[in-house]
Amino acid sequence: KGYVDHQSQMSLPVSRKSAGYRSGNFHAVDRTFFDELMAYYMREDVVIVGGNDNSEHTRFTTGRQKHILPTDGGTGTFVCKKDGEWWVLMNRHSGAKIRLSFKENPKPYTKSNTPELVDIKITDYCPYGCTYCYQDSTETGSHGSKSFIDDICRSLDGMEVLEVALGGGETTLHPNFAEIIQNFRNHGIIPNFTTRNPNWIKNEAIREAVKEASGRFAYSVDNVMDMYRVYMNIESSGLLRSESSGGQMRLAFQYVMGSGSEDQFKECVKAAGKLGCDMTLLGFKEVGRGKGYRHWNYKNWYTLLKNMRAKHEFYG
C-alpha cells in the first residue's frame, strides 16, 4: 500500500568524493557500494528476515548475522570510501565509524591505506600557560601559515580523509580560524577542534563558522567549575547542539590524566555524566612543561570508573 517502515529504511552512504567542494545539500548514493550491497543480497544463500516494532519478529536460529548498516538516518548521513576489500563508513554528525566487507573471506583489515583522521597543530600561540602542557605553547608561539594549512587541506581531500582534529596552542586564537574550519568542510572533511578559550563565541565570524562547518569541539578542563562554566557559556550561545544533525551534542571535554588528584578526576567524570557530555581521557606526557610537572599517578583509573559505575555515581 505504498508504506515503508522508516526503521527498515537503510541510511545508504554517499561517496566521500561527492561530499566535497560546492556539492550543495544533495549527494548521490555511492554507486560502487550500492552495487556490492545488491550483489550480496542477491546471493542464493542469503535470506533476509525481520519485522518491525508493530509485529513479532521472524524467528530463526542458525546462520544469523545482524545487519550493521544503520537505518532511519537519511541519505547523506554517512560517507564512505573503499579501502581494498573493505569499506569505511563514517557518520558525519556523530563521528561513528563502520568497517565492513562484502567479500566471503576478506584479508584481515590491519590498517588503512590512507588516513581516516588527521591531527593538525595550527598554532603554537597560547596565553593560558597550563603548567603541564606537553606542547609547551606560549604567547611567543607563532601561528601556522594559512596558505600551508590550505595546501594540507587539499592534499587530505585527495586522500579522502574523513575528519581532522585541529589543535594547538589555542586553536581559536589563530587569526584565520573561521576560514580554516570552513575550508576543511568545503573539501568534504569534518573539522573538529580543541580549545581552552571561553571567549571565542563572542567572535561572530568564528561562531557562525562553527555553527555551519564544525563537527565537535572539546574543551580542556581541570575541574568541575571549569566544566559547568563552559557548559553554560556554550548553551547560552546556541551552539551546544547541532541543528543539522538532529540535536547531536557538539560539546565534549578532555581531561589530562594526572593533572589533578584522584578525587578531582572522579568529580569531573560525574559532572560529564550529569551534563550529558563525552569526556576524553588523555594520557599524561612527560615532555614540554609536563617534564617538570609533579603529576598524580592513578594507573587504576579503569577500576575507579568500574567501581563508580557499580555505585551508580555516573551514567552514560
Side-chain angles (χ1 to χ4, degrees):
K1 298 181 180 179
Y3 171 76
V4 176
D5 177 19
H6 64 97
Q7 291 166 319
S8 299
Q9 183 176 350
M10 284 181 290
S11 305
L12 295 173
V14 301
S15 168
R16 164 61 185 82
K17 291 178 182 177
S18 78
Y21 192 54
R22 291 180 182 171
S23 57
N25 293 321
F26 175 76
H27 306 292
V29 170
D30 188 283
R31 180 56 190 259
T32 305
F33 182 91
F34 182 80
D35 288 345
E36 288 193 21
L37 177 70
M38 281 299 296
Y40 180 79
Y41 283 158
M42 292 299 104
R43 283 172 41 163
E44 292 293 326
D45 59 346
V46 170
V47 177
I48 300 174
V49 298
N52 60 46
D53 56 355
N54 303 315
S55 64
E56 188 174 346
H57 288 232
T58 307
R59 297 182 180 278
F60 61 107
T61 57
T62 60
R64 175 172 183 166
Q65 289 186 358
K66 185 179 178 182
H67 200 298
I68 65 171
L69 285 181
T71 58
D72 201 25
T75 298
T77 300
F78 279 80
V79 290
C80 67
K81 68 174 182 177
K82 189 76 182 288
D83 195 3
E85 297 180 336
W86 292 79
W87 285 93
V88 180
L89 284 67
M90 187 187 82
N91 185 317
R92 293 200 288 174
H93 304 321
S94 68
K97 287 180 187 165
I98 299 171
R99 293 183 181 84
L100 61 89
S101 177
F102 296 110
K103 298 287 185 181
E104 189 74 36
N105 293 298
K107 297 176 182 176
Y109 192 87
T110 55
K111 63 178 180 178
S112 57
N113 288 307
T114 57
E116 295 172 12
L117 179 149
V118 174
D119 283 282
I120 305 173
K121 178 175 179 173
I122 63 173
T123 181
D124 196 37
Y125 174 85
C126 184
Y128 295 110
C130 299
T131 51
Y132 51 80
C133 176
Y134 78 99
Q135 288 288 344
D136 202 11
S137 297
T138 66
E139 289 183 276
T140 62
S142 59
H143 298 297
S145 156
K146 181 179 179 297
S147 61
F148 182 56
I149 296 171
D150 289 344
D151 286 343
I152 292 173
C153 179
R154 285 188 290 270
S155 295
L156 299 187
D157 185 8
M159 290 187 279
E160 298 183 66
V161 168
L162 302 171
E163 56 183 336
V164 291
L166 305 178
E170 176 47 57
T171 53
T172 61
L173 294 179
H174 190 293
N176 305 112
F177 180 67
E179 300 165 69
I180 289 169
I181 60 175
Q182 191 69 63
N183 194 34
F184 276 105
R185 188 63 180 242
N186 287 344
H187 282 81
I189 301 169
I190 303 297
N192 310 287
F193 63 94
T194 59
T195 180
R196 199 180 183 94
N197 180 14
N199 298 316
W200 62 262
I201 59 173
K202 297 176 183 177
N203 182 309
E204 185 178 359
I206 293 179
R207 193 170 62 245
E208 289 304 308
V210 169
K211 184 178 181 180
E212 293 178 16
S214 82
R216 303 180 76 187
F217 46 84
Y219 265 88
S220 298
V221 293
D222 292 330
N223 53 60
V224 172
M225 288 299 295
D226 284 349
M227 297 172 74
Y228 278 97
R229 192 180 299 116
V230 164
Y231 184 92
M232 289 187 287
N233 206 20
I234 298 299
E235 186 178 42
S236 65
S237 73
L239 293 173
L240 186 63
R241 297 181 181 275
S242 173
E243 298 172 8
S244 63
S245 59
Q248 179 73 37
M249 180 72 78
R250 276 202 182 100
L251 171 65
F253 298 109
Q254 58 181 22
Y255 183 85
V256 177
M257 306 290 278
S259 60
S261 68
E262 187 176 297
D263 287 340
Q264 205 169 314
F265 162 66
K266 290 163 70 174
E267 290 304 311
C268 287
V269 171
K270 292 177 187 178
K274 288 178 181 177
L275 295 172
C277 296
D278 289 340
M279 187 163 81
T280 303
L281 306 180
L282 302 174
F284 193 93
K285 298 179 179 67
E286 295 184 13
V287 293
R289 291 198 292 275
K291 191 173 183 180
Y293 186 84
R294 188 176 179 181
H295 61 284
W296 279 263
N297 184 355
Y298 35 89
K299 292 183 178 179
N300 62 329
W301 64 270
Y302 185 66
T303 303
L304 289 175
L305 292 181
K306 282 208 312 185
N307 292 340
M308 290 172 66
R309 190 62 171 264
K311 297 175 184 175
H312 306 291
E313 291 180 340
F314 81 97
Y315 301 91

